[in-house]
C-alpha cells in the first residue's frame, strides 16, 4: 500500500482530536530520520511502505521503546520488521490522537 494513501488518514485522525499536521510530520521525521523534503519526496513518489521504510535515513534508536497494542497486537512482539515499523508509526499517531504530549510520544 502506498504511504501517500495512508498519510492523509494520519493527518485526519490527528486533526479530529485537535492536533496538527506539523505534529504528525514531527512524529514521522523523528521515527524515520527523513527531513521535510525527504518526506515530501516519498509522498510525491507514492512509495509503498516497504520503500518508505527501506529508504528512510535511520530508524530512531529509541524506536524500540515504543510499546503497546495496535489493532489487538503488541507492537514489541511483531516478528516481521516491516510490519513492526508500520505499527510503531500507527502507535505514535494513536498516542498523538489520544492527547499525549509530544515530548512523551517522542521518548
Amino acid at each position: 500500500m502506498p504511504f501517500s494513501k495512508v498519510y492523509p488518514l494520519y493527518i485526519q485522525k490527528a486533526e479530529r482530536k485537535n492536533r496538527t499536521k506539523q505534529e504528525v510530520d514531527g512524529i514521522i521525521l523523528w521515527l524515520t530520520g527523513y527531513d521535510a523534503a525527504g518526506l515530501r519526496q516519498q509522498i510525491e513518489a507514492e512509495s509503498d511502505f516497504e520503500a518508505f521504510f527501506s529508504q528512510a535515513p535511520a530508524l530512531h534508536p529509541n524506536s524500540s521503546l515504543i510499546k503497546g497494542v495496535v489493532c489487538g497486537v503488541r507492537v514489541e512482539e511483531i516478528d516481521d520488521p516491516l510490519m513492526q515499523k508500520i505499527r510503531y508509526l500507527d502507535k505514535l499517531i494513536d498516542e498523538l490522537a489520544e492527547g499525549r504530549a509530544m515530548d512523551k510520544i517522542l521518548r
Side-chain angles (χ1 to χ4, degrees):
M1 171 171 293
F3 173 76
S4 62
K5 293 210 184 278
V6 178
Y7 176 71
L9 301 176
Y10 288 149
I11 294 169
Q12 288 173 6
K13 182 174 191 170
E15 289 177 342
R16 278 194 308 266
K17 300 294 185 165
N18 297 317
R19 301 308 288 256
T20 66
K21 175 186 180 297
Q22 290 76 21
E23 289 173 310
V24 172
D25 288 354
I27 288 170
I28 295 169
L29 301 181
W30 176 86
L31 180 63
T32 62
Y34 282 112
D35 59 16
L39 175 59
R40 195 170 40 254
Q41 181 182 17
Q42 288 293 322
I43 293 167
E44 290 170 0
E46 297 185 3
S47 299
D48 61 19
F49 271 101
E50 185 172 7
F52 177 77
F53 280 110
S54 70
Q55 295 170 14
L59 198 63
H60 197 281
N62 287 349
S63 64
S64 63
L65 300 176
I66 301 169
K67 307 228 185 284
V69 178
V70 175
C71 298
V73 178
R74 296 207 64 79
V75 295
E76 62 271 23
E77 296 174 359
I78 297 172
D79 292 328
D80 179 6
L82 174 61
M83 186 54 67
Q84 187 174 49
K85 291 172 190 169
I86 293 168
R87 293 303 185 190
Y88 280 163
L89 182 53
D90 291 345
K91 179 65 178 163
L92 296 176
I93 299 299
D94 284 352
E95 290 176 1
L96 179 69
E98 291 168 359
R100 194 165 189 193
M102 283 296 285
D103 63 326
K104 301 284 186 191
I105 295 169
L106 303 184
R107 292 152 173 80

